[in-house]
């Protein structure tokens, strides 16, 4: 099993920045990918950014490209999401995700709220 704990988030004005962190514990040796999803009220969950454990290769949704940066610290089993130039449409609950090699293969954090508003 893998446990994910998120931190960061909060309220920011449009154009501002926020950073999210997610720390994994438990069977972290089993994780091959981590990342962030988000879910706005009344909308489907969507992926934001993912990063591989073995090579730190990162991919971003179109909505995040050029504004968000995902990074990983293998020593602390932590990923960070630096979000710049935030827009009101970025308002959502952001959920940390981990993909594992063995079943159960998908793990989720509880989510952390990001609100972009003036």
């Amino acid at each position: 099993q893998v446990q994910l704990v998120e931190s960061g988030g909060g309220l920011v004005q449009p154009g501002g920045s926020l950073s999210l962190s997610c720390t994994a514990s438990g069977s972290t040796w089993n994780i091959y990918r981590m990342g962030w999803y988000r879910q706005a009220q009344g909308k489907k969950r969507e992926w934001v950014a993912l990063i591989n454990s073995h090579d730190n290769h990162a991919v971003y949704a179109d909505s995040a490209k050029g504004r968000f940066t995902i990074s990983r610290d293998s020593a602390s089993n932590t990923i960070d999401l630096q979000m710049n130039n935030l827009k009101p449409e970025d308002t959502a609950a952001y959920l940390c995700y981990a993909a594992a090699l063995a079943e159960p293969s998908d793990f989720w954090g509880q989510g952390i709220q990001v609100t972009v508003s003036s």
Side-chain angles (χ1 to χ4, degrees):
Q1 293 289 327
V2 173
Q3 295 79 43
L4 302 172
V5 178
E6 300 118 330
S7 61
L11 173 65
V12 66
Q13 292 186 342
S17 299
L18 276 178
S19 180
L20 305 179
S21 291
C22 173
T23 299
S25 62
S27 301
T28 58
W29 57 269
N30 199 24
I31 297 172
Y32 70 90
R33 182 177 296 139
M34 291 182 70
W36 294 93
Y37 283 67
R38 68 186 184 186
Q39 187 165 17
Q41 194 168 5
K43 295 188 177 181
K44 292 183 179 180
R45 186 174 297 181
E46 61 178 7
W47 75 280
V48 176
L50 299 168
I51 188 167
N52 290 340
S53 297
H54 70 283
D55 62 1
N56 286 337
H57 176 68
V59 292
Y60 298 90
D62 287 344
S63 59
K65 286 179 182 176
R67 299 188 300 127
F68 295 2
T69 302
I70 188 170
S71 59
R72 175 178 166 271
D73 181 351
S74 59
S76 62
N77 295 308
T78 297
I79 61 168
D80 294 316
L81 184 68
Q82 176 64 40
M83 304 183 291
N84 298 326
N85 190 22
L86 283 160
K87 304 174 182 180
E89 52 263 42
D90 294 317
T91 296
Y94 283 70
L95 299 101
C96 183
Y97 167 75
L101 293 169
E103 293 289 342
S105 59
D106 296 307
F107 298 92
W108 296 92
Q110 290 194 335
I112 193 163
Q113 182 66 31
V114 171
T115 301
V116 185
S117 175
S118 55

